[in-house]
Amino acid sequence: MRGLTTKLLTTATILQLAAFGAKAQHTYQIDNNTINYLANASDGTEPLDNWFGNEFTAISGANLLNGVDFAVGTVSNGTTRITSATLAIYTVGDPAIGATRVYTQTFTPVAVAGAVNLQHINLTTPVLVPVGDVFLVSVLMNNVIGLGPNDVYPFVLDTSTTSTGSFWDRSAPNTFNLDNLDAARLLSYGLAPDGSGAPPFIPGGRLILRADGIAVPEPTTLALAGLGAAALLMFRRRNA
């Protein structure tokens, strides 16, 4: 894994990260909103699949997940660009079973030159998580190169002194299994050597990746919405 310290980020950029929380009824967040590194989980010049994720606990009034906010670092080396990433959401129940993937969606990571872009991703289908249950939100990018001159640093880590709830993993190119997170580790631990001979890198901190949740609509609200739609349809027919 390699991390790139950036001095190009301004106070305005950091404040921009905080502003995205207003778009949802509740934003699940474990990062401290202060950028430390642009990072990847690749050790050498060969591309590796990179997976990073954060855990949260569903709360009442915001347990219907409808979006994710992902801080994007660099996804282009000037020659090639990472054009596709996979967002995966898991429920975390019985430790003996592990995380169960319940949602998957591909998206295009969008970077901003000289700054970090907190990209909002609307979920195609909202995900309902029982109140009190732990869920994990992750992003997978394939074929991430770790060293120059073709290196990219798509993930953004904060300055937290703990990595609790924030995980990373990697695999050979195009082989990462989203349904097997047995090798995932907290960011406070190094990953297994990839054969490059370099000592394990321990990034620390937490990933800047958040989830947006809203209240589950009450049955009466849904019923009223249905009546309203029916009334509107009848009005249109009468005036046709």
Side-chain angles (χ1 to χ4, degrees), residues 107-126:
F107 69 97
T108 299
V110 178
V112 175
V116 165
N117 178 33
L118 191 66
Q119 180 178 352
H120 180 74
I121 305 158
N122 289 313
L123 300 189
T124 303
T125 303

Side-chain angles (χ1 to χ4, degrees), residues 140-213:
L140 168 68
M141 293 191 192
N142 300 110
N143 300 315
V144 178
I145 298 177
L147 294 179
N150 299 314
D151 51 336
V152 291
Y153 299 87
F155 302 93
V156 184
L157 307 184
D158 74 358
T159 60
S160 294
T161 57
T162 178
S163 296
T164 301
S166 205
F167 302 85
W168 64 325
D169 198 1
R170 66 180 175 219
S171 74
N174 302 308
T175 65
F176 193 87
N177 184 355
L178 284 169
D179 293 315
N180 184 357
L181 304 183
D182 289 349
R185 297 290 181 267
L186 289 171
L187 292 178
S188 53
Y189 289 87
L191 296 175
D194 70 337
S196 66
F201 187 93
I202 300 175
R206 283 170 164 163
L207 176 69
I208 300 181
L209 175 65
R210 305 163 185 171
D212 302 323

Side-chain angles (χ1 to χ4, degrees), residues 3-24:
L4 175 66
T5 302
T6 177
K7 295 182 180 180
L8 300 176
L9 305 171
T10 64
T11 302
T13 302
I14 296 174
L15 290 176
Q16 182 184 18
L17 299 185
F20 281 82
K23 290 189 174 182

Side-chain angles (χ1 to χ4, degrees), residues 19-227:
F20 281 82
K23 290 189 174 182
Q25 184 166 334
H26 176 76
T27 295
Y28 293 91
Q29 176 181 344
I30 61 173
D31 68 88
N32 65 10
N33 204 48
T34 303
I35 298 164
N36 190 14
Y37 286 109
L38 307 185
N40 64 50
S42 302
D43 269 338
T45 56
E46 78 287 354
L48 296 177
D49 293 351
N50 285 201
W51 178 95
F52 285 74
N54 281 347
E55 277 187 350
F56 309 95
T57 300
I59 63 173
S60 178
N63 62 316
L64 184 65
L65 308 181
N66 66 349
V68 167
D69 302 311
F70 172 53
V72 184
T74 60
V75 295
S76 174
N77 57 31
T79 303
T80 60
R81 185 181 186 281
I82 297 174
T83 58
S84 180
T86 302
L87 167 68
I89 298 176
Y90 302 77
T91 55
V92 183
D94 186 345
I97 299 175
T100 301
R101 181 159 56 108
V102 296
Y103 184 83
T104 310
Q105 178 177 325
T106 58
F107 69 97
T108 299
V110 178
V112 175
V116 165
N117 178 33
L118 191 66
Q119 180 178 352
H120 180 74
I121 305 158
N122 289 313
L123 300 189
T124 303
T125 303
V127 177
L128 180 64
V129 181
V131 174
D133 279 13
V134 175
F135 64 96
L136 187 151
V137 180
S138 70
V139 171
L140 168 68
M141 293 191 192
N142 300 110
N143 300 315
V144 178
I145 298 177
L147 294 179
N150 299 314
D151 51 336
V152 291
Y153 299 87
F155 302 93
V156 184
L157 307 184
D158 74 358
T159 60
S160 294
T161 57
T162 178
S163 296
T164 301
S166 205
F167 302 85
W168 64 325
D169 198 1
R170 66 180 175 219
S171 74
N174 302 308
T175 65
F176 193 87
N177 184 355
L178 284 169
D179 293 315
N180 184 357
L181 304 183
D182 289 349
R185 297 290 181 267
L186 289 171
L187 292 178
S188 53
Y189 289 87
L191 296 175
D194 70 337
S196 66
F201 187 93
I202 300 175
R206 283 170 164 163
L207 176 69
I208 300 181
L209 175 65
R210 305 163 185 171
D212 302 323
I214 59 174
V216 180
E218 295 289 342
T220 53
T221 302
L222 294 175
L224 288 173
L227 289 173

